[in-house]
């Protein structure tokens, strides 16, 4: 039956030879598995539980969810074909669900690494670009805002009296983010230098020496360069600082709903991924600290 299915893929569906070989490998692997379970089993007699057990065995060997789902897809296609051609009487694969793909945990810079970057003067120069870079990195880490949100900030969005920022997020939804002493001091110092360099106030909060709004590429580059001084993470982007903000907030006792509002997430389910990050950190602390871990 496998050969008939492979010919169908080649000559009726015009699939590439690589695709055909991939399907064949999955089907041969599955056949080897169910025959090892019971030599009397055949394609006509296997049931859904056998397929699920096979998938579980692949996961136990360390196969990724994407690999298991590709193999399951081959078996599903095979049974659709054999059922349509009357080669089998039932299709046990159509009720089997594949494993959910695991989303990678968000990467974040540790609090000690951020402290080392922001608290040591030798990390920074004194010219306008350095002051702007430090202010940008501090703002990302202190507010969790997105790259587009930071670039879009106008000078009028900063309310020093109330110590809050008006941020315009996705679909032009606005939210208010509070800030503390350090951010206020840094912003005041930056704005003073900006106005001196540019020759007066600018609409854009973060501006070039000529007064134009700073670009995505400039902000991305400066974040990457400065994070490289303190972390070995492969990703060193503004979004990593957003992850770092959320992780630091939860690690220090903030509620999930509060973090959701600060990040501008529509649903708390989106924010929950950071609880997995903090739990992974707790496990590492436990393993490092407990004598019997």
């Amino acid at each position: 039956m496998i050969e008939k299915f492979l010919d169908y893929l080649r000559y009726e569906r015009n699939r590439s030879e690589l695709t055909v070989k991939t399907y064949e490998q999955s089907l041969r692997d599955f056949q080897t598995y169910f025959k090892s379970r019971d030599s009397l089993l055949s394609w006509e007699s296997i049931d859904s539980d056998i397929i699920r057990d096979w998938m579980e065995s692949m996961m136990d060997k360390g196969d990724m969810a994407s690999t298991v789902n590709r193999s399951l897809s081959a078996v599903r296609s095979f049974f659709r074909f054999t059922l349509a051609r009357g080669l089998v009487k039932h299709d046990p694969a159509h009720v089997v669900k594949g494993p959910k793909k695991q989303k990678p945990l968000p990467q974040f810079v540790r609090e000690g690494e951020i402290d080392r970057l922001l608290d040591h003067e030798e990390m920074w120069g004194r010219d306008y670009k350095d002051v702007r870079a430090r202010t940008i990195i501090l703002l990302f880490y202190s507010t969790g805002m997105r790259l587009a949100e930071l670039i879009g900030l106008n000078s009028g969005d900063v309310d020093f009296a109330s110590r809050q920022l008006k941020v315009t997020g996705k679909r032009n939804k606005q939210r208010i983010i509070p800030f503390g002493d350090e951010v206020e001091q840094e912003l005041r110092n930056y704005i003073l230098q900006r106005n001196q360099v540019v020759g007066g106030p600018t609409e854009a909060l973060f501006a070039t020496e000529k007064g134009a709004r700073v670009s995505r590429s400039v902000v991305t580059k400066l974040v990457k360069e400065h994070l490289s001084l303190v972390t070995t993470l492969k990703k060193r982007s503004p979004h990593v600082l957003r992850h770092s903000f959320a992780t630091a907030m939860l690690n220090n006792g903030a509620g999930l709903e509060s973090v959701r509002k600060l990040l501008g997430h529509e649903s708390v389910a989106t924010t929950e991924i950071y609880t997995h990050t903090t739990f992974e950190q707790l496990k590492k602390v436990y393993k490092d600290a407990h004598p019997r871990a």
Side-chain angles (χ1 to χ4, degrees):
M1 282 197 290
I2 291 179
E3 291 300 332
K4 289 183 179 180
F5 174 65
L6 298 178
D7 285 343
Y8 161 75
L9 292 177
R10 285 191 186 97
Y11 306 121
E12 294 187 41
R13 298 299 303 276
N14 293 317
R15 295 296 182 90
S16 70
E17 195 57 33
L18 178 61
T19 299
V20 173
K21 287 185 179 299
T22 301
Y23 273 70
E24 181 179 14
Q25 184 65 55
S26 295
L27 294 173
R28 300 290 185 197
D29 287 347
F30 179 44
Q31 187 175 51
T32 299
Y33 174 79
F34 70 69
K35 286 292 186 182
S36 69
R37 288 281 302 268
D38 185 342
S39 61
L40 297 179
L41 284 173
S42 66
W43 290 103
E44 294 92 334
S45 61
I46 61 171
D47 58 20
S48 301
D49 287 339
I50 292 292
I51 300 175
R52 293 188 183 98
D53 290 345
W54 171 58
M55 291 164 53
E56 187 175 336
S57 73
M58 285 191 283
M59 298 290 282
D60 288 342
K61 287 190 299 183
D63 287 345
M64 300 290 290
S66 56
T67 301
V68 177
N69 279 318
R70 278 197 301 271
S71 296
L72 176 61
S73 177
V75 173
R76 283 174 173 162
S77 297
F78 174 78
F79 272 109
R80 282 197 298 269
F81 167 79
T82 52
L83 186 66
R85 300 296 171 93
L87 300 174
V88 296
K89 293 182 179 179
H90 73 294
D91 173 6
H94 78 281
V95 296
V96 178
K97 293 183 178 180
K100 290 184 178 179
K101 292 183 180 179
Q102 289 182 324
K103 291 184 178 179
L105 292 176
Q107 292 184 314
F108 63 95
V109 184
R110 299 186 183 281
E111 293 177 44
E113 294 170 334
I114 286 288
D115 291 343
R116 186 152 58 91
L117 177 61
L118 294 175
D119 294 344
H120 290 73
E121 290 186 8
E122 63 269 21
M123 296 282 192
W124 305 95
R126 296 183 178 272
D127 65 11
Y128 172 63
K129 286 186 177 180
D130 281 307
V131 172
R132 185 182 64 189
R134 189 182 187 281
T135 306
I136 284 173
I137 289 174
L138 176 63
L139 206 58
F140 273 134
Y141 183 65
S142 299
T143 66
M145 70 175 66
R146 301 176 178 94
L147 172 58
E149 293 170 346
L150 180 131
I151 292 171
L153 283 173
N154 291 323
S155 298
D157 294 330
V158 184
D159 184 345
F160 284 113
S162 301
R163 284 188 174 177
Q164 60 188 33
L165 293 164
K166 182 173 69 176
V167 176
T168 303
K170 291 182 177 180
R171 293 180 292 279
N172 290 321
K173 288 190 175 181
Q174 293 186 331
R175 67 184 188 281
I176 302 298
I177 302 178
F179 58 81
D181 292 346
E182 185 180 13
V183 170
E184 178 181 3
Q185 183 178 342
E186 195 72 23
L187 277 172
R188 287 188 183 278
N189 179 47
Y190 160 71
I191 291 171
L192 182 65
Q193 288 213 30
R194 182 200 66 188
N195 292 348
Q196 290 174 347
V197 169
V198 175
T202 61
E203 180 186 22
L205 177 60
F206 292 107
T208 67
E209 292 93 329
K210 295 182 178 180
R213 192 175 298 274
V214 74
S215 68
R216 292 178 65 96
S217 59
V218 166
V219 174
T220 300
K221 183 180 178 182
L222 72 86
V223 168
K224 182 176 182 179
E225 287 177 349
H226 285 87
L227 288 186
S228 297
L229 300 175
V230 294
T231 181
T232 57
L233 288 177
K234 289 184 178 180
K235 287 191 69 177
R236 299 183 293 275
S237 66
H239 214 68
V240 166
L241 287 173
R242 179 170 163 86
H243 295 326
S244 304
F245 161 81
T247 304
M249 290 287 289
L250 290 168
N251 280 341
N252 288 282
L256 201 59
E257 178 62 19
S258 299
V259 176
R260 180 193 71 79
K261 289 180 179 178
L262 289 169
L263 290 172
H265 285 161
E266 292 285 345
S267 167
V268 75
T270 309
T271 318
E272 281 178 338
I273 190 169
Y274 297 108
T275 64
H276 300 307
T277 301
T278 56
F279 183 66
E280 288 300 315
Q281 191 173 28
L282 280 175
K283 285 200 297 186
K284 186 178 185 305
V285 170
Y286 169 76
K287 185 176 181 181
D288 291 344
H290 198 282
R292 292 183 178 273

